[in-house]
Amino acid sequence: MVLGKFKYNMRKDKLAIIGLGYVGLPLARLFATKYSVIGFDIDKNRIIELMSGVDSTLELDSETLQSVLIGEDSDEIGLFCTNQLDKINDCNYYIITVPTPVDKNNKPVLIPLLKASEAVGAVLKKGDIVIYESTVYPGATEDDCVPVLEKVSGLKFNKDFYAGYSPERINPGDKQHTVDKILKVTSGSTTEIGLKIDNLYKSVITAGTHLAPTIRVAEASKVIENSQRDINIAFVNELAKIFNILDINTHDVLEAAGTKWNFLPFKPGLVGGHCIGVDPFYLAQKAQEKGYHPEIILSGRRLNDGMGDYVASEIVKCMIKKNIAVNESKVLILGITFKENCPDVRNTKTVDLVKALKSFGVNITIYDPWADIDEVMHEYGLKSSKSLPNEKFDAIVLTVSHTKFKDIDLLSLKNDKSIVYDVKNFLPKNKKDKTL
C-alpha cells in the first residue's frame, strides 16, 4: 500500500510505545503481533518484571506477554521493553501513553506528558511521527506538546516531523472489550499523515477506526466521552439521594425505568478512577481559559466528589438506628480499587468514604484481594489486606463489586447488630440492610 510519498510496510516500520501501564502495555503487545516494537518506561522495576513475562497490572497474562517478547536490538516482529532512551532512537513512530492526572485543586497536570515529549524530542528524526493517546483538553497536542518536540529536537513541525492523536479507550480489568475490539479514533497533523496513522491502527484494531478531521476534534471526542458518563452518573447519584429521602429503593426505580428502550442504564456509586473522575476537569479548564464557566460539567463533578461523605453519613445513620455505638466501632470495607476485578487504585473514591467514616471515630479494616498492599499504603497511607479477617464487625460496607465477594460468608463477619451496606447493589437483597 502506498500513501503519497509514504510507504506503508508493517515489517519495516518500527514503533516505540512510551509508558507501559494499563494503556501502553496492551497497545504495545497488540502492535508487537505485526511490528517490531520497543516499549519504553522510566520505571526500571516495571521493565524488569515485563521482560520476565510478568504484568503486575494483570492486563496481560504471562503466556500472552511472553508470546511477543523478543531480545534486545532485534528488528524482528515482537516487543522489547527498556528504560534506556537510546534504545528507541531508530523508531519512526512514537506513541505516548503516559498518565494525565489533576492536582489537589483539580487542575490538569501535564508534567508526565511534557516529560515524555522531551524524551521523544531527544531522539526524533526527520520523517518521524509522534502520536499521543493520553487524555487531554483540545489543543494540548499542538499547543503544549509539539513546541516541546520542536525545541528539544531542533526540527520543524509538519516539515521535518509530524504528529497525531488517537485517544486511548482501554477499560482496565475488562477481558471482553480489549484494545483490539474497541473502535479507535485517529487523527493526524496533515491529511496525509492522518491517513497514514489511521492505516497503522487499522492494521491491528479489528473493530475498525474512525479518522477525525483534525487533532483537536479527536482530543475533544475523548474528553467528552468520560464527561458525558460522569454527568449521567451524577444524575442517578442525585436520584439516589432523593429516593432515599422518599424511602424508595433507587435500583428498583432504575429497573422499572429501564424497561423503556431508550432509557440510559446508569447506576449510582462512587465515581473515581483515572478517567471519569479526572477528564471533566481537563475540558472545564480549557473552557475557563476561554472565558466560559461550564456549569453542568462542574456541578456533576461536585456531586460525584461528595458521594463518599454522603455514603458515610448514611452508614452512620443505619448504625444509630440499630443502636450500634459509632465511636470506636469496627467497620469492614470490601474493596479499595476504583473498579471491579482490577488492581488499579488510582483516584479511588473509596478513600473518601474511609476518611469520612474515620471522622466519626470508626475503626476501619480494608479487605481487597485485588489491590496491592504496598501501593495502597504508599498512595493513601491506608492498611489493606488480601486476606479476609477472622473477626466480627459492626458494619460491613461493600464498595467494589469484585466477583470474589460473591462467595463471602457475611454471617461469619457479623455480630448480633451488624449492618451490611451495599454501595454497588451487588449483594442479594436478603444479605444487606441497605444499598445506595
Side-chain angles (χ1 to χ4, degrees):
M1 180 185 297
V2 178
L3 292 172
K5 62 181 178 180
F6 295 103
K7 289 186 177 181
Y8 184 72
N9 186 337
M10 66 178 59
R11 287 193 172 272
K12 200 167 185 179
D13 287 329
K14 191 168 186 178
L15 284 61
I17 308 295
I18 315 301
L20 297 174
Y22 286 89
V23 174
L25 181 63
L27 185 68
R29 195 286 310 176
L30 179 62
F31 273 123
T33 61
K34 292 188 176 181
Y35 300 88
S36 175
V37 178
I38 305 295
F40 176 83
D41 199 289
I42 59 175
D43 187 342
K44 183 179 180 180
N45 292 329
R46 176 68 169 160
I47 297 302
I48 292 173
E49 73 168 21
L50 290 178
M51 288 307 293
S52 68
V54 175
D55 171 27
S56 59
T57 70
L58 305 181
E59 288 301 298
L60 299 182
D61 58 59
S62 293
E63 183 179 353
T64 301
L65 178 56
Q66 290 175 2
S67 69
V68 295
L69 291 177
I70 57 175
E72 186 176 355
D73 299 324
S74 174
D75 285 326
E76 296 300 314
I77 291 174
L79 171 66
F80 175 74
C81 302
T82 181
N83 65 330
Q84 298 177 40
L85 193 59
D86 62 340
K87 298 298 181 182
I88 66 172
N89 58 14
D90 62 340
C91 296
N92 57 322
Y93 282 98
Y94 295 91
I95 303 177
I96 296 177
T97 64
V98 298
T100 45
V102 293
D103 64 17
K104 63 180 181 180
N105 298 314
N106 294 321
K107 298 294 184 183
V109 176
L110 295 182
I111 293 174
L113 200 61
L114 300 180
K115 289 291 185 183
S117 298
E118 288 178 1
V120 170
V123 296
L124 203 59
K125 308 171 299 300
K126 286 190 175 183
D128 288 350
I129 298 175
V130 184
I131 305 169
Y132 291 86
E133 290 215 357
S134 308
T135 303
V136 292
Y137 47 72
T141 298
E142 292 160 299
D143 297 342
D144 297 297
C145 298
V146 165
V148 174
L149 295 172
E150 286 187 313
K151 181 179 179 180
V152 176
S153 69
L155 300 175
K156 187 69 175 175
F157 179 50
N158 276 343
K159 178 182 177 184
D160 300 321
F161 74 93
Y162 305 88
Y165 184 79
S166 181
E168 61 91 358
R169 281 177 166 172
I170 294 289
N171 188 24
D174 190 337
K175 304 306 179 185
Q176 180 179 359
H177 302 96
T178 52
V179 60
D180 56 312
K181 297 174 183 176
I182 302 173
L183 194 141
K184 203 84 162 68
V185 173
T186 63
S187 65
S189 54
T190 71
T191 301
E192 192 170 30
I193 292 300
L195 289 169
K196 186 174 175 68
I197 291 172
D198 189 65
N199 277 282
L200 174 72
Y201 280 100
K202 194 176 290 182
S203 69
V204 293
I205 303 293
T206 57
T209 60
H210 173 86
L211 178 57
T214 66
I215 287 176
R216 277 175 164 76
V217 168
E219 290 169 328
S221 73
K222 170 57 181 176
V223 79
I224 71 164
E225 287 176 20
N226 290 324
S227 296
Q228 181 189 68
R229 186 167 177 79
D230 191 45
I231 291 168
N232 278 299
I233 297 174
F235 172 62
V236 293
N237 273 338
E238 187 162 59
L239 291 180
K241 291 183 176 182
I242 295 170
F243 294 141
N244 182 54
I245 296 172
L246 299 176
D247 196 26
I248 301 173
N249 185 296
T250 303
H251 296 276
D252 288 345
V253 174
L254 293 175
E255 183 179 0
T259 59
K260 190 168 187 280
W261 76 92
N262 60 352
F263 184 83
L264 302 178
F266 289 93
K267 297 180 180 179
L270 303 173
V271 189
H274 59 98
C275 289
I276 298 178
V278 172
D279 295 353
F281 290 120
Y282 273 75
L283 183 57
Q285 170 74 14
K286 197 63 178 177
Q288 288 170 331
E289 287 178 3
K290 298 297 183 180
Y292 179 80
H293 182 75
E295 297 180 30
I296 294 177
I297 293 173
L298 291 180
S299 64
R301 198 79 295 282
R302 282 193 297 271
L303 195 147
N304 284 339
D305 275 346
M307 290 305 292
D309 287 338
Y310 174 77
V311 172
S313 67
E314 290 300 297
I315 293 167
V316 169
K317 288 176 184 177
C318 288
M319 294 172 70
I320 292 172
K321 286 180 179 179
K322 275 201 170 185
N323 294 317
I324 300 171
V326 176
N327 190 38
E328 295 300 324
S329 62
K330 296 166 63 177
V331 175
L332 174 63
I333 302 293
L334 297 178
I336 189 66
T337 61
F338 92 87
K339 65 172 295 187
E340 68 279 0
N341 304 325
C342 172
D344 197 346
V345 298
R346 288 176 294 173
N347 195 34
T348 172
K349 292 304 179 179
T350 299
V351 171
D352 294 349
L353 171 60
V354 170
K355 182 179 178 181
L357 286 173
K358 283 188 172 183
S359 71
F360 288 100
V362 170
N363 295 310
I364 299 291
T365 298
I366 300 171
Y367 165 57
D368 194 318
W370 282 89
D372 183 272
I373 295 172
D374 294 333
E375 186 177 1
V376 174
M377 176 57 70
H378 178 266
E379 292 295 325
Y380 305 109
L382 295 174
K383 183 180 179 181
S384 62
S385 174
K386 285 180 173 286
S387 301
L388 189 65
N390 183 24
E391 55 183 303
K392 305 287 186 180
F393 294 90
D394 298 300
I396 301 167
V397 183
L398 185 143
T399 59
V400 187
S401 51
H402 292 318
T403 303
K404 294 179 181 179
F405 289 161
K406 282 282 190 183
D407 301 324
I408 290 180
D409 180 9
L410 294 175
L411 286 177
S412 67
L413 299 168
K414 297 173 65 176
N415 56 40
D416 294 338
K417 293 182 179 179
S418 299
I419 68 159
V420 177
Y421 191 100
D422 185 358
V423 175
K424 301 293 289 185
N425 194 39
F426 180 70
L427 301 170
K429 285 186 177 181
N430 63 347
K431 289 188 177 181
K432 59 194 174 189
D433 294 273
K434 196 169 183 181
T435 189
L436 177 60

